[in-house]
Coordinates of all heavy atoms in Angstrom, one line a residue:
A175 N 21.1 9.1 -135.6 CA 22.1 9.2 -134.5 C 23.5 9.5 -135.0 O 24.2 10.3 -134.4 CB 22.0 8.0 -133.6
V183 N 30.3 15.0 -132.9 CA 31.2 14.6 -131.8 C 32.5 14.2 -132.4 O 33.6 14.5 -131.8 CB 30.6 13.5 -130.9 CG1 31.6 13.0 -129.9 CG2 29.4 14.1 -130.2
W186 N 34.4 17.1 -133.6 CA 34.8 18.0 -132.5 C 36.0 17.4 -131.7 O 36.9 18.1 -131.4 CB 33.6 18.2 -131.6 CG 33.9 19.2 -130.4 CD1 34.4 20.4 -130.5 CD2 33.8 18.9 -129.0 NE1 34.5 21.0 -129.3 CE2 34.2 20.1 -128.3 CE3 33.3 17.8 -128.3 CZ2 34.2 20.2 -127.0 CZ3 33.3 17.9 -126.9 CH2 33.7 19.1 -126.3
A200 N 43.8 17.6 -118.8 CA 44.1 16.3 -118.3 C 45.4 16.3 -117.5 O 45.5 15.7 -116.4 CB 44.1 15.2 -119.4
T205 N 48.0 16.2 -112.3 CA 49.1 16.8 -111.4 C 48.5 17.3 -110.1 O 49.0 17.0 -109.1 CB 49.8 17.9 -112.2 OG1 50.3 17.5 -113.4 CG2 50.9 18.5 -111.3
V211 N 46.6 14.6 -103.1 CA 46.8 13.3 -102.4 C 48.0 13.3 -101.6 O 48.1 12.9 -100.4 CB 46.7 12.1 -103.3 CG1 47.0 10.8 -102.6 CG2 45.3 12.0 -104.0
Y212 N 49.1 13.8 -102.2 CA 50.4 13.8 -101.5 C 50.4 14.7 -100.3 O 50.8 14.4 -99.2 CB 51.5 14.1 -102.5 CG 52.9 14.3 -101.8 CD1 53.6 13.1 -101.5 CD2 53.4 15.5 -101.5 CE1 54.9 13.2 -100.9 CE2 54.7 15.6 -101.0 CZ 55.4 14.5 -100.6 OH 56.6 14.6 -100.0
A233 N 52.9 10.6 -71.3 CA 52.8 9.3 -70.7 C 54.1 8.9 -70.0 O 54.1 8.3 -68.9 CB 52.3 8.2 -71.7
N253 N 45.8 6.3 -55.4 CA 44.8 7.1 -56.1 C 45.1 8.5 -55.9 O 45.0 9.3 -56.9 CB 43.4 6.7 -55.6 CG 42.3 7.5 -56.3 OD1 42.0 8.6 -55.9 ND2 41.8 6.9 -57.4
R270 N 42.4 11.8 -71.8 CA 42.0 10.9 -70.7 C 43.2 10.2 -70.2 O 44.0 9.6 -71.0 CB 41.0 9.9 -71.2 CG 40.5 9.0 -70.1 CD 39.5 8.0 -70.6 NE 39.0 7.1 -69.5 CZ 38.3 6.0 -69.7 NH1 37.9 5.7 -71.0 NH2 37.8 5.3 -68.7
F295 N 40.3 -2.5 -66.2 CA 40.4 -1.7 -67.4 C 41.3 -2.4 -68.4 O 42.5 -2.5 -68.3 CB 41.0 -0.3 -67.1 CG 41.0 0.6 -68.3 CD1 39.8 1.3 -68.6 CD2 42.1 0.8 -69.0 CE1 39.8 2.2 -69.7 CE2 42.1 1.7 -70.1 CZ 41.0 2.4 -70.4
A426 N 56.0 28.5 -160.5 CA 57.0 28.4 -161.5 C 56.8 27.2 -162.4 O 56.9 27.2 -163.6 CB 58.4 28.4 -160.9
D437 N 55.0 26.0 -176.3 CA 56.1 25.8 -177.2 C 56.0 24.5 -178.0 O 56.3 24.5 -179.2 CB 57.4 25.7 -176.4 CG 57.8 27.0 -175.8 OD1 57.3 28.0 -176.3 OD2 58.5 27.0 -174.7
L456 N 50.9 22.2 -204.1 CA 51.0 21.1 -205.1 C 49.6 20.8 -205.7 O 49.5 20.6 -206.9 CB 51.6 19.9 -204.5 CG 52.0 18.8 -205.4 CD1 53.0 19.3 -206.4 CD2 52.5 17.6 -204.6
L491 N 62.6 13.2 -173.5 CA 62.4 14.0 -172.3 C 61.4 13.4 -171.4 O 61.5 13.4 -170.1 CB 62.0 15.5 -172.7 CG 63.1 16.5 -172.8 CD1 62.5 17.8 -173.3 CD2 63.9 16.7 -171.5
S492 N 60.3 12.9 -172.0 CA 59.3 12.3 -171.2 C 59.8 11.1 -170.4 O 59.5 10.9 -169.2 CB 58.1 11.8 -172.1 OG 57.1 11.2 -171.4
R493 N 60.6 10.3 -171.0 CA 61.2 9.1 -170.3 C 62.1 9.6 -169.2 O 62.2 9.0 -168.1 CB 62.0 8.2 -171.3 CG 61.1 7.4 -172.2 CD 61.8 6.4 -173.0 NE 62.8 6.9 -173.9 CZ 62.6 7.2 -175.1 NH1 61.4 7.0 -175.7 NH2 63.6 7.7 -175.9
A498 N 63.8 7.5 -165.9 CA 64.2 6.3 -166.7 C 65.4 5.6 -165.9 O 66.2 6.2 -165.3 CB 64.7 6.8 -168.0
V502 N 73.7 0.8 -166.4 CA 75.1 1.2 -166.1 C 76.1 0.1 -166.5 O 75.9 -1.0 -166.3 CB 75.2 1.5 -164.6 CG1 76.6 1.9 -164.2 CG2 74.2 2.6 -164.2
T538 N 93.6 7.9 -168.0 CA 92.5 7.1 -168.5 C 91.9 6.2 -167.4 O 92.7 5.8 -166.5 CB 93.0 6.3 -169.7 OG1 94.1 5.5 -169.3 CG2 93.4 7.2 -170.9
I576 N 89.7 14.6 -162.0 CA 90.2 15.4 -160.9 C 89.3 15.0 -159.7 O 88.1 15.1 -159.7 CB 90.0 16.9 -161.2 CG1 90.8 17.3 -162.4 CG2 90.4 17.7 -160.0 CD1 90.6 18.8 -162.8
I581 N 85.6 14.7 -165.7 CA 85.2 16.0 -166.3 C 85.2 15.9 -167.8 O 86.3 15.6 -168.4 CB 86.0 17.1 -165.8 CG1 85.9 17.2 -164.2 CG2 85.6 18.5 -166.4 CD1 86.8 18.2 -163.6
D586 N 84.1 25.4 -178.0 CA 84.0 25.9 -179.4 C 84.5 27.3 -179.4 O 84.7 27.9 -178.3 CB 82.6 25.7 -179.9 CG 81.6 26.6 -179.1 OD1 81.7 27.8 -179.0 OD2 80.7 26.0 -178.4
D613 N 66.8 27.7 -188.7 CA 67.6 27.5 -189.9 C 68.4 26.2 -189.7 O 68.6 25.5 -190.7 CB 68.5 28.7 -190.2 CG 67.6 29.9 -190.6 OD1 66.4 29.7 -191.0 OD2 68.1 31.0 -190.5
T617 N 65.7 22.3 -182.1 CA 64.3 22.2 -181.5 C 64.3 22.8 -180.1 O 63.3 23.0 -179.5 CB 63.9 20.7 -181.3 OG1 64.9 20.1 -180.4 CG2 63.9 20.0 -182.6
I623 N 67.6 17.9 -172.7 CA 67.8 16.4 -172.6 C 69.2 16.1 -172.0 O 69.4 15.2 -171.1 CB 67.7 15.8 -174.0 CG1 66.3 15.9 -174.5 CG2 68.2 14.3 -174.0 CD1 66.1 15.4 -175.9

Side-chain angles (χ1 to χ4, degrees):
V183 170
W186 183 55
T205 303
V211 171
Y212 176 77
N253 180 273
R270 181 185 182 185
F295 185 80
D437 291 338
L456 190 60
L491 268 179
S492 177
R493 287 193 295 269
V502 178
T538 56
I576 301 176
I581 298 175
D586 62 62
D613 293 339
T617 62
I623 293 174

